[in-house]
């Protein structure tokens, strides 16, 4: 089948036709998807009635997997899914919604802030592929912001100022923004900040993007209050309506996005209703800055 991609209305995202993820992905199809990601940064695949094994096989045809280890507050004994998947659900091992005050749920509420997946890792993620297994009766949309367009819209002075800045990213920064401070000593060690460039050039198109995230809590060489105010202003700029695509989920949807060129956030939904979302992730090519050994 020939893969075709059309732009979603006035948004920057693309919707993919002519692909059945139950079938093995051909080299030509994989090349078309990579080219579509370079152009659109977000691709929507509707009505893909696949299982976990098929999602994983599709992802692996596009690149190397990033394993989801130590990125949430779920203990290994509580995992619903293997580490080839990030469990982006509100469900415990018995497939029951977390209690409203469960610290695993409260930590995950941080996903409602604008962020880029795995920017808190020395080698941040490339693509994320999120599939809807079950959705709530209302809410739970995912929004995406085009960080290329946000960069292009900066004034010349700000563009020059951000060019060589390096930020520190940690999940502790993003969770503290929502008032979550309940970290163990082990978790504080695990979530120690890593450094990322604030401006990234796409390796294929050469186009610059702002590399922002709620995980970014400081700028190297800047006082903390000034850095956080500056980053907040940049996020407000980057998430203006003209830069944002909102995806309203249907069961069977799979949405893929490029973390190097976008931010995203989940929207609220009823706490007592299941939202079962399963994400596979492609590993990035390497760090954005040198890190100490």
């Amino acid at each position: 089948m020939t893969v075709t991609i059309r732009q979603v209305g006035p948004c920057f995202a693309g919707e993919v036709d002519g692909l059945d993820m139950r079938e093995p992905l051909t080299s030509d199809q994989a090349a078309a998807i990579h080219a579509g990601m370079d152009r659109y940064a977000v691709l929507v695949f509707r009505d893909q009635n696949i299982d976990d094994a098929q999602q994983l096989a599709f992802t692996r045809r596009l690149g190397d997997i990033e394993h989801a280890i130590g990125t949430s507050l779920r203990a290994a004994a509580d995992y619903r899914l293997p580490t080839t998947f990030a469990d982006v659900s509100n469900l415990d091992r018995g497939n029951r919604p977390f209690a409203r005050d469960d610290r695993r749920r409260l930590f995950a509420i941080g996903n409602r802030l604008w962020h880029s997946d795995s920017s808190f890792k020395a080698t941040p993620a490339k693509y994320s592929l999120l599939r809807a297994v079950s959705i709530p009766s209302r809410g739970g949309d995912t929004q995406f912001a085009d960080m290329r367009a946000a960069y292009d819209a900066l004034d010349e002075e700000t563009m020059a100022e951000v060019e060589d800045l390096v930020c520190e990213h940690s999940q502790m920064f993003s969770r503290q923004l929502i008032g979550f401070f309940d970290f163990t000593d082990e978790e504080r060690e695990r979530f120690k900040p890593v450094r990322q460039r604030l401006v990234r050039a796409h390796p294929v198109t050469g186009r610059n993007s702002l590399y922002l995230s709620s995980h970014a809590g400081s700028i190297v060489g800047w006082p903390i209050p000034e850095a956080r105010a500056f980053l907040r202003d940049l996020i407000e700029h980057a998430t203006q309506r003209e830069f944002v695509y909102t995806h309203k989920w249907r069961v069977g949807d799979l949405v893929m996005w490029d973390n190097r060129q976008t931010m995203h956030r989940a929207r609220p939904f009823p706490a007592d209703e299941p939202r079962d979302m399963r994400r596979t992730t492609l590993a990035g090519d390497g760090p954005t800055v040198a890190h100490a050994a």
Side-chain angles (χ1 to χ4, degrees), residues 254-274:
L254 184 142
V255 178
M256 177 164 59
W257 63 90
D258 189 337
N259 289 289
R260 303 166 301 178
Q261 303 187 84
T262 62
M263 280 197 301
H264 64 282
R265 65 175 181 175
R267 305 315 296 135
F269 58 94
D272 60 347
E273 295 187 17

Side-chain angles (χ1 to χ4, degrees), residues 162 165 167 196-200 209-212 231 234:
V162 300
L165 293 181
C167 299
Q196 307 288 3
R197 287 186 55 84
L198 183 51
V199 177
R200 297 182 67 177
S209 296
L210 287 171
Y211 192 48
L212 287 168
L231 291 170
L234 284 179

